[in-house]
């Protein structure tokens, strides 16, 4: 009965492979039915064993029964493993879920949005200008004559002889006035670049916000009103504001604007150098020379401008002691905003 022997061998191989492949309860049950069920392949071989001559019946019968036992045993093991695996995978659906991490805005973006909203309430329109400027827009049109010592104060990054990374946002004033006729009320926000040595309050890249209002009858008191409204809104309604005479080539008169120290309320502390005041921005009336450069009639139109560092405002408002933190992208810092 070679024939049955061969079949048994083939079946042993086949069952070994298909048991290995069978996954899950259902597939294992299918396996059982296919081979061990009432009409299963092995069952039918076993049924035929009794018709064999005695000698062969002994050998093949034992083989077939061994295989049957083996398969039943393996199946049992596989089924029990299945149960165990389930146990491990079981989870408690009543446990609180894990919130997916979501990104959020950088503190500089947050403060910029806040500043922009305040000026938009006052009717200022947001405009943009290029970060790569010519000497004309960065200096000359703003009344920094060639070789003027004030150019040294803005130790700039030159990309080519007449091309530099803007050292302030004031060139946007010129670009806007060249394009438009007064009255106008604009603000612009953007990156500026200066060759400053890096320390807790200096970084070669920083952000400025610049404002410009030009029209008929615009006076210094409008500037005071707008800046007072803005500074009290961004810091606190009870701060006081101080204007001191200053100098910028593009404004005349010019002012350096301070707020009463937000930490000591003007009494004097280490944050304000014991003076009670914190300098916060530069401002002034647009110099008639500048107005003439953009072909505005200074007899008819006057205007004011102001500019301030956004990092400085953010540092004061959020009590950040080091400007470098804005650029390090350390999540432990960023996640606090
Ligand atoms: N551009 C000046 C600066 O960077 C600030 C300023 C802007 C002053 C507008 C007056 C008017 O320091």
């Amino acid at each position: 009965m070679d024939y049955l022997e061969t079949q048994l061998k083939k079946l042993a191989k086949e069952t070994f492979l298909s048991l290995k492949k069978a996954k899950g309860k259902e597939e294992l049950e299918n396996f059982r039915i296919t081979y061990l069920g009432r009409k299963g392949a092995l069952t039918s071989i076993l049924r035929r064993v009794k018709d064999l001559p005695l000698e062969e019946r002994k050998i093949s019968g034992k083989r077939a029964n061994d295989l049957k036992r083996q398969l039943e045993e393996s199946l049992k093991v596989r089924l029990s493993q299945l149960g165990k695996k389930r146990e491990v995978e079981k989870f408690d659906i009543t446990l609180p879920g894990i919130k997916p991490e979501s990104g959020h805005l950088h503190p500089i973006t947050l403060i910029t949005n806040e500043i922009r909203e305040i000026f938009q309430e006052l009717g200022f329109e947001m405009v943009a200008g290029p970060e790569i400027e010519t000497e004309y827009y960065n200096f000359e049109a703003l009344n920094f004559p060639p070789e003027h010592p004030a150019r040294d104060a803005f130790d700039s990054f030159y990309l080519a002889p007449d091309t530099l990374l803007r050292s302030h946002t004031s060139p946007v004033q010129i670009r806007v006035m060249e394009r438009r006729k007064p009255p106008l009320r604009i603000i612009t926000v953007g990156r500026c670049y200066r060759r400053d040595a890096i320390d807790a309050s200096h970084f070669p890249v920083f952000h400025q916000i610049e404002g410009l209002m030009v029209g008929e009858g615009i006076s210094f008191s409008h500037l005071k009103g707008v800046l007072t409204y803005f500074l009290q809104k961004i810091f606190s309604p009870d701060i006081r504001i101080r204007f001191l005479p200053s100098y910028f080539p593009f404004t005349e008169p010019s002012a350096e604007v301070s707020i009463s120290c937000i930490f000591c309320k003007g009494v004097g502390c280490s944050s304000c150098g014991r003076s009670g005041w914190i300098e916060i921005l530069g401002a002034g009336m647009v110099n008639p020379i500048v107005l003439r450069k953009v072909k505005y009639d200074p007899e008819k139109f006057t205007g004011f401008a102001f500019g301030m560092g956004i990092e400085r405002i953010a540092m004061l408002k959020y009590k950040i002691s080091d400007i470098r933190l804005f650029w390090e992208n350390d999540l432990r810092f960023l996640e606090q905003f």
Side-chain angles (χ1 to χ4, degrees):
M1 262 284 114
D2 251 338
Y3 179 52
L4 205 111
E5 276 292 293
T6 324
Q7 273 196 335
L8 262 175
K9 263 192 197 146
K10 231 180 93 193
L11 200 65
K13 221 175 183 176
E14 194 184 308
T15 50
F16 174 78
L17 290 175
S18 70
L19 186 61
K20 213 168 136 187
K21 262 198 282 178
K23 274 187 244 80
K25 207 172 168 185
E26 207 171 314
E27 282 182 31
L28 287 171
E29 175 61 8
N30 279 342
F31 174 88
R32 194 193 62 76
I33 293 167
T34 312
Y35 298 105
L36 303 168
R38 229 158 30 85
K39 291 180 182 159
L42 186 58
T43 317
S44 65
I45 287 180
L46 275 164
R47 228 175 259 136
R48 275 157 52 205
V49 167
K50 64 174 189 328
D51 301 328
L52 296 172
L54 185 64
E55 277 307 298
E56 280 166 35
R57 202 191 310 164
K58 266 188 190 162
I59 301 165
S60 296
K62 187 172 167 347
R63 283 246 165 90
N65 273 313
D66 282 351
L67 182 61
K68 189 181 174 197
R69 226 172 298 122
Q70 233 174 29
L71 291 181
E72 281 170 349
E73 191 57 36
S74 304
L75 201 59
K76 223 162 80 189
V77 171
R78 289 289 308 273
L79 280 166
S80 73
Q81 279 171 347
L82 217 62
K84 266 191 212 130
K85 228 177 178 172
R86 273 251 181 84
E87 204 116 53
V88 175
E89 280 168 8
K90 232 194 263 169
F91 55 88
D92 183 353
I93 56 160
T94 65
L95 283 174
I98 299 164
K99 230 174 117 191
E101 298 252 359
S102 69
H104 51 90
L105 298 175
H106 190 277
I108 293 295
T109 310
L110 289 175
I111 197 99
T112 302
N113 290 346
E114 210 176 315
I115 293 171
R116 194 178 45 206
E117 269 167 40
I118 297 172
F119 281 109
Q120 276 171 349
E121 279 171 37
L122 294 171
F124 283 76
E125 176 198 345
M126 185 87 168
V127 299
E131 285 177 34
I132 297 173
E133 271 298 4
T134 59
E135 284 194 315
Y136 180 76
Y137 287 105
N138 199 77
F139 294 123
E140 214 176 306
L142 290 162
N143 192 35
F144 292 78
E147 313 308 327
H148 190 288
R151 289 199 185 192
D152 296 340
F154 297 82
D155 207 353
S156 321
F157 287 106
Y158 273 84
L159 305 175
D162 184 33
T163 314
L164 69 156
L165 294 173
R166 68 176 175 196
S167 53
H168 54 169
T169 39
S170 299
V172 183
Q173 289 184 33
I174 305 298
R175 290 184 175 275
V176 170
M177 288 193 286
E178 275 181 351
R179 278 202 309 264
R180 302 193 197 174
K181 292 274 156 265
L184 50 89
R185 247 180 304 183
I186 58 105
I187 51 161
T188 186
V189 177
R191 292 182 187 215
C192 300
Y193 303 82
R194 286 183 202 174
R195 277 145 55 99
D196 283 329
I198 296 174
D199 64 25
S201 49
H202 294 88
F203 203 80
V205 193
F206 58 97
H207 296 78
Q208 275 193 343
I209 174 154
E210 183 98 9
L212 172 72
M213 179 166 183
V214 185
E216 283 180 62
I218 302 298
S219 70
F220 202 94
S221 56
H222 292 118
L223 170 62
K224 283 176 83 173
V226 165
L227 288 180
T228 304
Y229 179 83
F230 162 71
L231 291 168
Q232 289 185 337
K233 197 118 193 197
I234 195 96
F235 289 111
S236 137
D238 57 15
I239 57 155
R240 282 165 297 127
I241 289 132
R242 184 183 74 175
F243 289 75
L244 288 185
S246 184
Y247 175 76
F248 298 103
F250 42 95
T251 47
E252 185 56 37
S254 302
E256 157 197 314
V257 182
S258 302
I259 55 169
S260 53
C261 179
I262 53 174
F263 304 108
C264 63
K265 306 244 175 283
V267 177
C269 66
S270 59
S271 297
C272 57
R274 320 255 157 234
S275 70
W277 295 98
I278 295 176
E279 196 198 319
I280 194 101
L281 59 91
M285 299 307 292
V286 181
N287 194 323
I289 298 171
V290 174
L291 292 176
R292 246 178 254 120
K293 287 222 192 239
V294 296
K295 311 217 160 50
Y296 283 8
D297 179 1
E299 297 298 324
K300 192 168 175 206
F301 299 112
T302 48
F304 65 76
F306 56 88
M308 62 194 123
I310 293 181
E311 279 81 356
R312 182 151 170 75
I313 293 178
M315 285 169 81
L316 287 169
K317 199 172 155 74
Y318 300 136
K319 299 189 169 59
I320 297 163
S321 57
D322 197 314
I323 198 168
R324 287 168 284 203
L325 286 164
F326 292 119
W327 301 93
E328 281 168 359
N329 288 336
D330 185 332
L331 285 178
R332 290 169 302 177
F333 169 71
L334 295 177
E335 277 170 352
Q336 295 176 52
F337 298 94

